[in-house]
Amino acid sequence: MCIAVLSWVLAIGACTDAGPTTTTSQATSAAPLTTVAPATVDATSEGRLAQPLPLDPDVTIGRLDNGLTYYVRENRRPGNRAQLRLVVDAGSSLEDGDQSGAAHFVEHMLFNGTERFPVNELTSVLESFGARFGPDVNAYTTYDETVYELAVPTSEPALLELGLDVLLEWAAHALIDQADVEAERGVVLEEWRLRNAGVGGRIAQVYEDVFLAGTGYEGRSPIGDPEALRTTSAATLRRFYDDWYRPGLMAVVAVGDFDADRVIELIRDRFDALEPPAAPRQRREVVVPAFTSRRIGVLADPDQPTASVEIYFPAEANRGSTIGDRRNEWARLLAADMIVTRLNDDVTRGAAPFFSASPGGFDFARRLTLQGVAVDAASDQILDALQAIVIEVARAERHGFGAAEFLRSRRGWEAAIAQSFAGRASTQDFEFAARYVTHFLAGGGLPSPQQEFELDTELLDSLTAQDAWAALRELTAASALSAVIIGPDDGGVPSEATIDAAVVAAAGADVAPRPPDEDVGEVLLATPDPVEPLEVTALPLGIVELLYPNGVRVRFVQTDISVNEVVMGASSPGGMSKVSDEDVAEAFLIADIVGRSGVGPFDRVALETALADQVVALQPYIDVIEEGFFASAASEDLETLMQLIHLTMVAPRADEGAAAAVIGELRRFAESPETIPGLATTLELIRQRWGDEPRYRALLTTEELDDYDLAAADAVYRDRFADAGDFVFAFAGDFSSVTIRELSDSYLGTLPATDRDDSWIDHQRAAPATISDTTIAVGESEQGFVTFLFTGDFRRDPRRDVHVELLSLIADVKLRDRLREALAATYSPFVSIVAADAPDEIIETYLQVSGDPSSLDVIVDESLDILASLVRTGPTEAELATAKEQLSRQYELVSNEWWIDQMLFSVLHPDESLRPLSARFDFVAEATAADIQSVAAAAFPSDRYVLVRQIPG
């Protein structure tokens, strides 16, 4: 359960604010999967622009006589599952004066008892068939709506019906008992503490104070007021539920692997009987006035490590539902994209007083939207950064955009929508469900993937740089430029008056047009002469391995998990373990710097310009014991990805601008890490576990940043990536075996290699042999955290890997049931258990629990007791059965990333042969309580662990 207060999105899409949902029923039929050309009609004609956005014929939208709306769609991705939603068009903006936080509290109560599922029986019932429960998983509440979410298997019809029964219980049969309210009160208050008592809550309050003042949302934060939460009664919550949980304000969404007609029948059977109120309460109209004067928000916070500078043009969200509205949205998006690109180009060239820029698209609530730009900066450069972005907006407003930069932006978006369209057959259930939720709440069009591709291709093709310029000027004329400045309390955050004066000066500055970028070539690399592999081996599971004379291994498997997508991972042993102590600091940052620097003769700006019409991403990394790459690309851009891999190994760049940005982003954290909540805990945990070993740490010192030697770092990178002979490249996705073979022959088989021994060296310190219990006082927030790290000796194998996963699920549920549900001592316990065999054979458990600082001793004692019970007696049969069902459901979902992990892992573990996917299910089925107890004994040693308690400073 969560509160979606801020939705960080750039406003574009079919689902837009356009009034009430239309009631219509569409015939269900399969859309053809053929590539289509854009329409040839005039996209700028008044008649065309006035047409409404289309509705997808493959979703059935209906309305029952009582007013409840339903959306039903058959979909086979991922298959054997369905996504269900109960959407309630009511959020915190409808609360009465005595109901602060009621909408969100009611959301909690619906998981604590309904007529059919009293107390916590609902959680147990759903977990029994594989559902997982926890914070931010099953429901969310905003200013405007409350949405409940379920994922259910469809292999057994009774389970789908049970899922719909649960939606019905939520819709009409909540108990909201006073005893249950008292039991849940502590959980809700702890959620308030987690979200609002820290710096994140203080930042959110700045936005509320700046942008909600004078609107119908003012003073109606979904989390509510803590004093109201401490005193609210079941009667108060019941009044909200009875007023607003009614059929006319609800929708049921069902997307998945089922027969649509049957599901519609099941919905009708259940929800037809709901009675609308005889005298429904009238909704309070949310008023959003025009933002005609500048608004400024400032926060200098001792717990905030970095500075952000943001400018916005706030306005009532009213993006309409016509083709013209969508065209205007695209024009605004292109304008914002070009401004952000200009700013990031300046960062790349070392000519910006900030580290990075991003679009500031921000939907605060359904009827309030902000559009602008955000940058990260050093606290002593806040005014310079603010003036730089204001000047760039003013430059674009006065002089418009150049043809080359417009083409660069448009080509990028055309590539993105083309990839999305090509992958339409693999659209997942949850993606369709999200669209339908938004459509019910906000109205507008709901085009099919094919309709969307045709329309957006047509609209982008019709737009010009002049249209983007006009859209920008329309935006800036309608709303006063506002600013939000967030930074550390170190004297660098200016006053509101200083900020206002800086904005006025920058906006009125005499600015010249932006000089056009130089034309760059688009050929990254001439195709090397191919090299034949020495061996081509067919491995189990459909995997093919190519072994080249230079020692490079390429493994690939073709999948249809995500159409028009290729995922790549590569690894080589060595990493920082082969780097000298004096160069470890350089090794920590160099992969990130190289990733931001371009390749060969192309700096980052030239590279992004050359690749504007392609969808490809590559990031190198250097870990403690290995180095390698993560990458992805559209299938049609696979050759470009291969070229980038080749160049990033043989002709990497480490540019000064990229290095300055990376170092600048880290400097504030390094200056006083002991004062930053969370980071201070992490550093203390690392210090207790790994001591002063330089390879096992999270942060460089300010001295290391000041003395960072880019030339030495570049030498480290080139050394680690110079020898391709022990690299393994793994590809999974939508490609042909012929294409991957030809490209590997040319770009990977030709990489340079040596015969050096590059196996890793073990620098890891043995875990402490005793209990280390440390308390640190940090920050000014009334928040407490308990963090454990257990380390035990453990010899893993594929079967025991499954046992580790089962134990993690069981521990998570037991901690939640005791700490959250029984004691109301926390909102979200988090546990992670990982078994490793390199560089040492160990199992490590990371457990963190938040809570009232005064209750940390209770949390520590209870947590240790829960884990000790698993060591003493293992799980109950019911607990094990639930975990088996959950894990089996997880295993049914196989991603391209999972395939990459398997292919790379099996190279490093040649004694563990690739097994059929069914083997994992066998291991789950065969697991016993004694197996889990055995793993628990290694995972939770009671006499040796690291414990860090964080309390306010």
Side-chain angles (χ1 to χ4, degrees):
M1 291 175 277
C2 72
I3 302 175
V5 180
L6 306 179
S7 177
W8 294 89
V9 294
L10 198 58
I12 189 70
C15 303
T16 53
D17 294 318
T21 306
T22 56
T23 304
T24 182
S25 180
Q26 306 295 328
T28 303
S29 61
L33 300 181
T34 56
T35 301
V36 295
T40 56
V41 299
D42 181 2
T44 61
S45 67
E46 289 189 11
R48 175 64 169 162
L49 296 179
Q51 292 177 7
L53 292 168
L55 288 173
D56 186 349
D58 291 333
V59 56
T60 299
I61 309 173
R63 180 169 291 169
L64 305 181
D65 291 341
N66 58 18
L68 184 137
T69 303
Y70 60 81
Y71 294 74
V72 178
R73 181 193 185 101
E74 295 179 11
N75 190 53
R76 302 295 182 261
R77 295 299 179 111
N80 292 319
R81 277 174 169 69
Q83 290 285 338
L84 305 179
R85 303 287 186 270
L86 175 68
V87 190
V88 185
D89 189 11
S92 62
S93 65
L94 295 179
E95 293 168 351
D96 293 333
D98 65 340
Q99 289 181 319
S100 178
H104 174 241
F105 210 132
V106 166
E107 173 213 311
H108 274 248
M109 295 311 301
L110 264 61
F111 288 89
N112 281 273
T114 66
E115 292 178 6
R116 181 173 171 184
F117 305 109
V119 197
N120 288 320
E121 184 179 332
L122 174 60
T123 300
S124 299
V125 167
L126 294 177
E127 283 181 335
S128 70
F129 60 75
R132 293 195 65 184
F133 282 78
D136 309 337
V137 172
N138 313 108
Y140 65 85
T141 302
T142 76
Y143 290 96
D144 300 291
E145 69 261 2
T146 309
V147 180
Y148 299 86
E149 305 173 336
L150 282 181
V152 300
T154 57
S155 51
E156 299 178 39
L159 297 182
L160 175 59
E161 294 185 25
L162 179 59
L164 291 169
D165 289 341
V166 170
L167 298 193
L168 177 63
E169 290 291 298
W170 283 334
H173 302 300
L175 292 178
I176 313 185
D177 178 79
Q178 184 63 37
D180 292 335
V181 171
E182 297 301 333
E184 191 68 14
R185 194 185 307 278
V187 175
V188 177
L189 283 167
E190 179 54 31
E191 184 177 355
W192 179 90
R193 185 195 313 278
L194 192 64
R195 298 183 184 281
N196 280 39
V199 62
R202 295 191 287 274
I203 291 173
Q205 190 62 53
V206 170
Y207 285 101
E208 291 182 22
D209 293 344
V210 171
F211 296 113
L212 297 190
T215 75
Y217 296 113
E218 184 177 4
R220 299 184 182 278
S221 172
I223 191 64
D225 176 76
E227 292 307 314
L229 298 178
R230 291 187 181 97
T231 59
T232 194
S233 66
T236 301
L237 301 182
R238 168 61 66 177
R239 189 171 79 248
F240 184 91
Y241 182 79
D242 290 344
D243 282 344
W244 307 116
Y245 279 60
R246 62 194 198 219
L249 297 180
M250 291 183 179
V252 172
V253 175
V255 181
D257 191 358
F258 49 58
D259 178 76
D261 291 338
R262 172 61 177 156
V263 170
I264 292 170
E265 181 182 350
L266 294 173
I267 292 172
R268 288 185 174 277
D269 288 346
R270 284 158 176 76
F271 292 91
D272 252 337
L274 298 184
E275 293 288 341
R281 185 173 174 184
Q282 294 299 305
R283 295 172 63 94
R284 180 186 301 108
E285 183 68 20
V286 175
V287 177
V288 176
F291 290 83
T292 55
S293 60
R294 181 163 22 264
R295 301 188 180 199
I296 295 174
V298 176
L299 178 65
D301 196 284
D303 295 349
Q304 173 65 19
T306 60
S308 64
V309 179
E310 303 162 18
I311 62 168
Y312 293 108
F313 296 94
E316 181 174 9
N318 184 24
R319 292 181 290 275
S321 59
T322 68
I323 290 175
D325 295 327
R326 191 174 180 93
R327 187 175 187 274
N328 291 338
E329 237 6 91
W330 271 116
R332 284 196 293 271
L333 177 59
L334 290 169
D337 186 52
M338 284 185 283
I339 291 172
V340 170
T341 297
R342 288 179 175 185
L343 296 171
N344 279 321
D345 286 353
D346 289 344
V347 172
T348 296
R349 291 168 172 152
F354 47 83
F355 309 130
S356 63
S358 59
F362 184 125
D363 281 351
F364 211 132
R366 193 186 308 167
R367 298 196 60 183
L368 174 60
T369 187
L370 316 178
Q371 295 184 54
V373 178
V375 301
D376 296 320
S379 60
D380 60 356
Q381 289 188 299
I382 285 175
L383 283 180
D384 291 339
L386 175 64
Q387 291 190 306
I389 59 177
V390 173
I391 285 173
E392 204 54 56
V393 171
R395 189 193 317 277
E397 185 181 5
R398 291 176 203 170
H399 302 293
F401 302 101
E405 64 178 332
F406 177 79
L407 180 61
R408 175 181 171 184
S409 178
R410 192 178 75 182
R411 287 170 63 199
W413 284 106
E414 287 172 341
I417 65 173
Q419 185 194 28
S420 176
F421 176 68
R424 64 199 181 282
S426 54
T427 303
Q428 300 292 299
D429 296 341
F430 74 89
E431 297 176 82
F432 282 120
R435 289 189 180 199
Y436 304 152
V437 168
T438 305
H439 182 261
F440 171 71
L441 295 169
L446 190 62
S448 69
Q450 183 152 339
Q451 292 168 331
E452 190 170 53
F453 173 75
E454 291 179 319
L455 178 59
D456 287 341
T457 301
E458 168 196 351
L459 294 178
L460 280 171
D461 187 60
S462 74
L463 287 166
T464 66
Q466 291 290 323
D467 293 321
W469 186 16
L472 174 65
R473 286 182 295 177
E474 180 183 16
L475 174 67
T476 58
S479 176
L481 185 152
S482 297
V484 175
I485 310 297
I486 309 293
D489 187 14
D490 60 0
V493 177
S495 67
E496 290 187 20
T498 301
I499 292 169
D500 186 69
V503 170
V504 171
D510 184 16
V511 293
R514 181 100 170 179
D517 287 330
E518 296 180 8
D519 187 28
V520 298
E522 297 186 7
V523 178
L524 296 184
L525 175 67
T527 306
D529 294 334
V531 173
E532 289 283 324
L534 296 175
E535 299 176 9
V536 178
T537 307
L539 301 175
L541 308 181
I543 297 170
V544 176
E545 180 180 271
L546 311 175
L547 175 61
Y548 289 94
N550 60 359
V552 165
R553 292 177 184 268
V554 176
R555 289 187 167 190
F556 63 85
V557 62
Q558 298 165 267
T559 77
D560 61 355
I561 295 169
S562 186
V563 178
N564 195 38
E565 178 190 79
V566 180
V567 175
M568 187 279 290
S571 70
S572 164
M576 282 185 283
S577 78
K578 300 300 286 282
V579 176
S580 64
D581 285 0
E582 55 267 26
D583 287 335
V584 166
E586 276 65 35
F588 255 89
L589 306 185
I590 188 57
D592 193 8
I593 293 170
V594 169
R596 300 190 194 193
S597 295
V599 292
F602 293 80
D603 70 7
R604 192 69 190 180
V605 176
L607 181 64
E608 290 182 351
T609 302
L611 303 183
D613 60 349
Q614 302 190 49
V615 179
V616 59
L618 174 73
Q619 178 60 48
Y621 70 89
I622 302 177
D623 208 337
V624 175
I625 61 172
E626 66 178 31
E627 60 274 338
F629 297 99
F630 300 108
S632 63
S635 299
E636 61 194 16
D637 299 324
L638 180 55
E639 182 168 11
T640 301
L641 174 58
M642 290 286 200
Q643 292 174 337
L644 285 176
I645 295 169
H646 190 101
L647 286 170
T648 308
M649 293 188 74
V650 303
R653 292 175 64 108
D655 294 341
E656 292 283 354
V662 171
I663 292 171
E665 289 170 356
L666 295 176
R667 185 173 299 282
R668 171 55 187 158
F669 293 98
E671 287 172 345
S672 51
E674 71 284 351
T675 67
I676 302 173
L679 177 58
T681 293
T682 298
L683 295 178
E684 179 63 20
L685 200 73
I686 290 172
R687 187 180 70 83
Q688 295 288 342
R689 169 64 179 89
W690 286 283
D692 58 1
E693 164 53 48
R695 293 160 188 82
Y696 290 88
R697 54 177 170 165
L699 193 65
L700 300 186
T701 66
T702 53
E703 292 78 9
E704 289 170 325
L705 294 177
D706 290 339
D707 296 337
Y708 194 80
D709 188 335
L710 186 57
D714 182 54
V716 167
Y717 181 90
R718 290 174 184 271
D719 175 72
R720 296 316 316 146
F721 288 85
D723 179 14
D726 56 3
F727 264 82
V728 180
F729 296 88
F731 295 84
D734 180 18
F735 49 75
S736 77
S737 58
V738 172
T739 298
I740 196 76
R741 164 69 189 277
E742 290 177 347
L743 295 176
S744 297
D745 289 355
S746 293
Y747 296 106
L748 303 182
T750 56
L751 288 169
T754 67
D755 294 326
R756 69 180 181 181
D757 177 14
D758 237 2
S759 57
W760 49 262
I761 301 170
D762 187 358
H763 292 276
Q764 182 165 243
R765 191 183 84 165
T770 59
I771 295 172
S772 169
D773 186 343
T774 307
T775 298
I776 61 173
V778 55
E780 298 189 0
S781 305
E782 285 300 312
Q783 292 178 313
F785 288 90
V786 167
T787 307
F788 289 93
L789 183 64
F790 297 86
T791 306
D793 296 329
F794 189 73
R795 177 158 292 186
R796 55 147 302 279
D797 59 41
R799 185 182 299 272
R800 299 192 86 193
D801 288 344
V802 170
H803 298 164
V804 170
E805 293 185 83
L806 288 169
L807 175 62
S808 183
L809 292 169
I810 292 166
D812 180 67
V813 170
K814 289 180 75 70
L815 288 161
R816 182 206 68 200
D817 287 350
R818 180 62 180 162
L819 298 176
R820 174 181 164 124
E821 303 301 341
L823 300 178
T826 188
Y827 175 63
S828 56
F830 172 81
V831 62
S832 172
I833 308 174
V834 177
D837 52 12
D840 299 313
E841 293 183 321
I842 58 174
I843 184 169
E844 290 201 313
T845 301
Y846 176 90
L847 168 62
Q848 186 171 76
V849 187
S850 66
D852 188 319
S854 65
S855 68
L856 296 190
D857 287 344
V858 173
I859 291 174
V860 168
D861 292 343
E862 292 289 340
S863 298
L864 288 172
D865 186 62
I866 291 165
L867 301 181
S869 72
L870 285 168
V871 176
R872 289 193 306 268
T873 62
T876 66
E877 289 302 323
E879 290 168 344
L880 180 58
T882 295
K884 284 183 174 184
E885 188 67 25
Q886 291 176 331
L887 191 56
S888 295
R889 296 300 176 188
Q890 290 179 31
Y891 283 168
E892 290 174 353
L893 303 178
V894 176
S895 66
N896 283 327
E897 289 76 10
W898 180 87
W899 279 107
I900 298 298
D901 290 342
Q902 299 310 302
M903 288 187 282
L904 296 178
F905 182 85
S906 61
V907 173
L908 298 174
H909 299 80
D911 55 328
E912 297 180 21
S913 60
L914 290 162
R915 289 174 170 79
L917 300 183
S918 60
R920 296 190 302 166
F921 294 93
D922 294 339
F923 294 156
V924 170
E926 295 163 2
T928 66
D931 293 329
I932 307 307
Q933 184 181 4
S934 173
V935 176
F940 313 137
S942 61
D943 59 344
R944 57 190 190 280
Y945 55 80
V946 177
L947 166 60
V948 179
R949 309 165 194 248
Q950 179 184 302
I951 61 174

